[in-house]
Amino acid sequence: FDSTVVAVETDAGITGYAECCPLGSAYLPAYAKGVRAGLEEIGPKLIGMDPTALLPLNAHMDAVLRGHPYVKAPIDIACWDILGKVANLPVTTLLGGLAQPDVKLYRAISQEDANVMAQKIAGYRAEGYTKFQLKVGGDPNDDIVRIRACREILEPTDILVCDANTGWTMADAARVVNAVADLDVYIEQPCMTYEESVSVRARTSLPFVLDENIDGVSMLQRGLAEDAFDVINLKISKVGGLTKAKQMRDLCVANHIPMTIEDTWGGDIVTATIAALAQTTPEKFCFSATDFNSYGTVDIADGAPKRVNGRMKASTAPGLGITPKWDVLGEPVGVIG
Ligand code: MG
């Protein structure tokens, strides 16, 4: 996927970095060229602001550009990196301090033949993963076979999430949740809308995750009030950056709701950002997280977390603790200011 690395330069000689990588153009209302177009639109309106004053910065971004949270996310995150460098503290300290010694990761398995998916899960399990996210949301007959085949090869302590990524109709989802009702699995985002998904939740006793519909604090509050989920998937760029993700993380912890803490996609800098938010979340509420840099083939920064035995740790260096590899990234595609 096309990923954008953002560098925010300051008149103090400190530069902050961030990365935003939408999952193509058909997953969320976001696309890779939209990140760059949005930065061209909003960037000139931010010149001269104090990057360490994150709440005024976010309020200003929301005032000058309606919506487009994924455009604002890398600016906000780069400013957290700046704040950490100014304070000489890791972003983990700024986010509340380390709440767990490391972060347990999940591995996603793309939709394929049920046996192929089960074999891949067995391979990832051997690498140390204990949490798996099965991509379903296709033909419900195939999905039922996939879920059964994959659960069968796991140990009782392993976690299996069946993520439909909005792909089922309510009828499809009802068939699947009934057919796997005897299994120890989670169901994630069965249908396109919040209302359809909540209807499916009412029909199943399986633990239930919402992702795509929980795109900000308002939908989180609505879901909490309406008992719409047991777990949410908190994607940092989906909600507009670390400032807003922290707000939602803290609201979830206060309401005893665990989270999968991750992003849409990305490389080393996205992974470093996820690690910081996830490791500052108590283990009980950090359902899982993602090390996207182990899915990709190109290292774009030094200092990023590297998975060890299905886990990762955030950097202890100031800021996010990463340094972009300019020899890999090349010349900037755009400069604002
Ligand atoms: Mg999901």
Side-chain angles (χ1 to χ4, degrees), residues 27 133 135 163 165 188 211-212 233 235 262:
Y27 174 58
Q133 193 196 74
K135 290 301 181 189
D163 187 359
N165 285 116
E188 179 163 336
D211 178 352
E212 284 87 337
N233 184 311
K235 292 187 164 74
E262 58 162 351

Side-chain angles (χ1 to χ4, degrees), residues 165-207:
N165 285 116
T166 74
W168 289 323
T169 63
M170 285 191 287
D172 290 342
R175 287 188 58 208
V176 176
V177 298
N178 287 334
V180 303
D182 60 314
L183 299 182
D184 177 13
V185 297
Y186 289 66
I187 301 295
E188 179 163 336
Q189 192 70 50
C191 303
M192 184 64 81
T193 68
Y194 172 87
E195 290 78 8
E196 290 162 326
S197 294
V198 169
S199 168
V200 173
R201 170 165 170 76
R203 308 178 204 193
T204 177
S205 64
L206 293 172

Side-chain angles (χ1 to χ4, degrees), residues 265-305:
W265 203 260
D268 288 307
I269 307 175
V270 162
T271 303
T273 312
I274 292 167
L277 187 62
Q279 208 180 333
T280 57
T281 303
E283 183 179 4
K284 186 175 180 181
F285 302 114
C286 188
F287 181 63
S288 64
T290 316
D291 57 326
F292 282 113
N293 60 352
S294 77
Y295 291 70
T297 53
V298 184
D299 283 358
I300 62 164
D302 290 316

Side-chain angles (χ1 to χ4, degrees), residues 12-212:
I14 293 169
T15 302
Y17 302 104
E19 178 188 3
C20 182
C21 186
L23 188 67
S25 56
Y27 174 58
L28 290 175
Y31 64 106
K33 287 179 184 162
V35 179
R36 269 107 65 183
L39 290 169
E40 278 183 35
E41 176 67 29
I42 197 172
K45 297 165 182 167
L46 308 177
I47 303 295
M49 291 196 76
D50 179 353
T52 66
L54 287 154
L55 294 179
L57 172 72
N58 273 270
H60 187 67
M61 288 199 287
D62 287 339
V64 298
L65 179 67
R66 188 72 61 96
H68 303 279
Y70 72 109
V71 170
K72 299 165 186 172
I75 299 171
D76 172 73
I77 294 162
C79 290
W80 277 88
D81 190 32
I82 291 170
L83 179 61
K85 289 169 177 171
V86 170
N88 200 30
L89 292 169
V91 166
T92 52
T93 301
L94 308 179
L95 288 171
L98 294 176
Q100 51 177 335
D102 56 14
V103 174
K104 269 193 189 169
L105 300 161
Y106 81 78
R107 190 76 193 192
I109 295 96
S110 314
Q111 252 182 62
E112 286 186 79
D113 176 77
N115 291 326
V116 175
M117 292 174 90
Q119 279 169 15
K120 284 191 174 172
I121 286 191
Y124 292 132
R125 197 171 187 286
E127 291 177 24
Y129 287 102
T130 56
K131 299 172 182 243
F132 304 92
Q133 193 196 74
L134 207 57
K135 290 301 181 189
V136 287
D139 181 297
N141 302 301
D142 295 339
D143 285 338
I144 292 163
V145 177
R146 287 173 175 134
I147 294 166
R148 289 205 161 271
C150 292
R151 185 67 251 190
E152 195 167 289
I153 59 132
L154 291 173
E155 294 296 318
T157 50
D158 295 334
I159 297 288
L160 184 64
V161 177
C162 310
D163 187 359
N165 285 116
T166 74
W168 289 323
T169 63
M170 285 191 287
D172 290 342
R175 287 188 58 208
V176 176
V177 298
N178 287 334
V180 303
D182 60 314
L183 299 182
D184 177 13
V185 297
Y186 289 66
I187 301 295
E188 179 163 336
Q189 192 70 50
C191 303
M192 184 64 81
T193 68
Y194 172 87
E195 290 78 8
E196 290 162 326
S197 294
V198 169
S199 168
V200 173
R201 170 165 170 76
R203 308 178 204 193
T204 177
S205 64
L206 293 172
F208 200 83
V209 187
L210 280 187
D211 178 352
E212 284 87 337

